[in-house]
Amino acid sequence: MGDSFFNCCYFPPHPPGEEELPGSRVHNDSRMASHPGHISPNKRFLIVFDFDETIVDETSDDMVVQTAPSQHLPSWLKDTYQPGRYNDYMQRVLAYLAEQGVTESDIRGVMEKLPATPGMLTLFQFLRNRPSHDFEVILVSDANTFFIESWLRRAGARPLFHRIFSNPATFNRDGRLVLKGFHTHECQRCPENMCKQAIIREYVSRRTQERGRPYQRVFYVGDGANDFCPALALGPRDVAFPRRDFPMHRLITETHESMPGEFKAVTVPWTTAEDVVQRLRKIVTE
């Protein structure tokens, strides 16, 4: 990766209707779904996955509503959403579900049934079958640790991921799933609880120090607008895999047209994750 990931710290203007985040700052408190021990320093590549509509073919926050009475939220609750503060809104949704008698088992059951995106399990199998020195695999998601862990364990995919970065979510004594924001940051584009670029930059910096050398390449597999921000920091040897015709792909295309040279990574859109496998097969043999 060498000169790739650290060339760019691009914080675009905040979208219309979203407030700038005054006084925010990166605060890394290592809030992860897991803290595995030693990671081999010999990994050639880092591959980063989003979760919603990337690994699973749904948005987990939307699907948890299936546990609500009549599978709908009341209008008064939906009306409390404020742009840029979605995590706060989901905290209220989860509190409401608990008040309606929704249990941990109910929520886990919905998460376990989320369908994988086309070809994703094939991609996971490809990564598992590669030599141990090839891929370090992490997940960065604005969902939450309980939703993600529930699905990965059911799918048998949890051991593939060396680190999971997401909003902490645990059940309290009253049986309510308590959701917290991951961190604060200074990025004016991202929601106040998570900037994926800040997370990945810190991770790559720390791992480069631990390894004594950079990764040969970084790969990012995503779909959403909040996956565009970290992809902006990739270098010319790195590869962004945006889901075709989803917001991440559209933002990359718009950036190429309006600011040529601003987006540096190779871009490989995917319709099925087998498209990702095909490109990775070529790269690992180079």
Side-chain angles (χ1 to χ4, degrees):
M1 186 173 69
D3 62 349
S4 60
F5 205 87
F6 299 103
N7 279 347
C8 175
C9 185
Y10 174 62
F11 296 145
H14 54 86
E18 290 202 15
E19 298 179 359
E20 190 170 344
L21 306 177
S24 62
R25 71 189 191 282
V26 172
H27 173 65
N28 175 34
D29 60 359
S30 299
R31 289 182 175 179
M32 296 179 284
S34 61
H35 300 262
H38 177 70
I39 302 176
S40 168
N42 299 323
K43 307 287 187 182
R44 297 165 60 198
F45 309 113
L46 175 68
I47 184 165
V48 183
F49 285 88
D50 173 47
F51 183 68
D52 289 328
E53 296 193 283
T54 295
I55 290 177
V56 295
D57 208 14
E58 300 282 359
T59 299
S60 55
D61 283 346
D62 292 343
M63 299 307 290
V64 77
V65 176
Q66 291 184 355
T67 64
S70 303
Q71 300 187 355
H72 293 289
L73 297 178
S75 296
W76 65 262
L77 178 55
K78 292 188 284 188
D79 289 345
T80 66
Y81 169 71
Q82 295 178 330
R85 301 182 65 89
Y86 187 78
N87 187 266
D88 292 344
Y89 169 72
M90 281 306 301
Q91 292 176 33
R92 292 189 290 274
V93 169
L94 294 172
Y96 169 80
L97 293 177
E99 291 169 359
Q100 302 304 307
V102 174
T103 67
E104 177 177 349
S105 177
D106 294 334
I107 295 175
R108 182 184 291 108
V110 168
M111 294 305 127
E112 290 179 343
K113 294 176 183 176
L114 298 179
T117 52
M120 188 55 62
L121 298 182
T122 300
L123 173 54
F124 286 175
Q125 192 62 42
F126 168 79
L127 294 173
R128 278 197 203 95
N129 291 341
R130 293 301 305 171
S132 60
H133 62 265
D134 268 2
F135 290 98
E136 184 169 325
V137 187
I138 67 172
L139 193 157
V140 183
S141 168
D142 198 15
N144 67 70
T145 55
F146 181 79
F147 290 1
I148 293 168
E149 288 273 4
S150 296
W151 190 89
L152 290 178
R153 293 185 186 283
R154 178 68 172 178
R158 181 61 188 88
L160 179 65
F161 290 88
H162 297 93
R163 293 285 188 272
I164 295 174
F165 298 88
S166 191
N167 300 301
T170 55
F171 284 87
N172 66 11
R173 292 180 179 179
D174 297 327
R176 176 165 68 93
L177 184 57
V178 178
L179 175 67
K180 298 181 180 179
F182 183 82
H183 65 180
T184 58
H185 58 83
E186 297 176 353
C187 179
Q188 296 175 357
R189 182 181 193 89
C190 292
E192 66 175 12
N193 64 292
M194 177 171 286
C195 171
K196 294 184 178 183
Q197 182 182 137
I199 293 168
I200 298 172
R201 286 170 63 86
E202 191 280 332
Y203 182 81
V204 171
S205 176
R206 177 165 51 82
R207 289 291 292 136
T208 299
Q209 289 183 331
E210 293 171 354
R211 292 156 46 88
R213 62 184 182 280
Y215 298 102
Q216 292 180 21
R217 298 189 187 202
V218 174
F219 308 110
Y220 192 100
V221 187
D223 73 283
N226 66 349
D227 296 313
F228 176 66
C229 186
L232 272 170
L234 300 175
R237 284 182 51 80
D238 303 327
V239 183
F241 291 101
R243 193 171 184 185
R244 186 178 294 278
D245 297 330
F246 278 65
M248 180 187 180
H249 185 207
R250 291 196 291 269
L251 287 167
I252 291 172
T253 301
E254 292 169 4
T255 302
H256 281 310
E257 294 172 352
S258 62
M259 294 181 286
E262 183 68 37
F263 191 90
K264 298 176 177 63
V266 177
T267 303
V268 180
W270 59 280
T271 301
T272 164
E274 292 183 24
D275 301 333
V276 180
V277 174
Q278 290 180 10
R279 179 53 67 99
L280 293 180
R281 283 191 196 279
K282 295 178 181 178
I283 290 174
V284 295
T285 58
E286 292 177 358

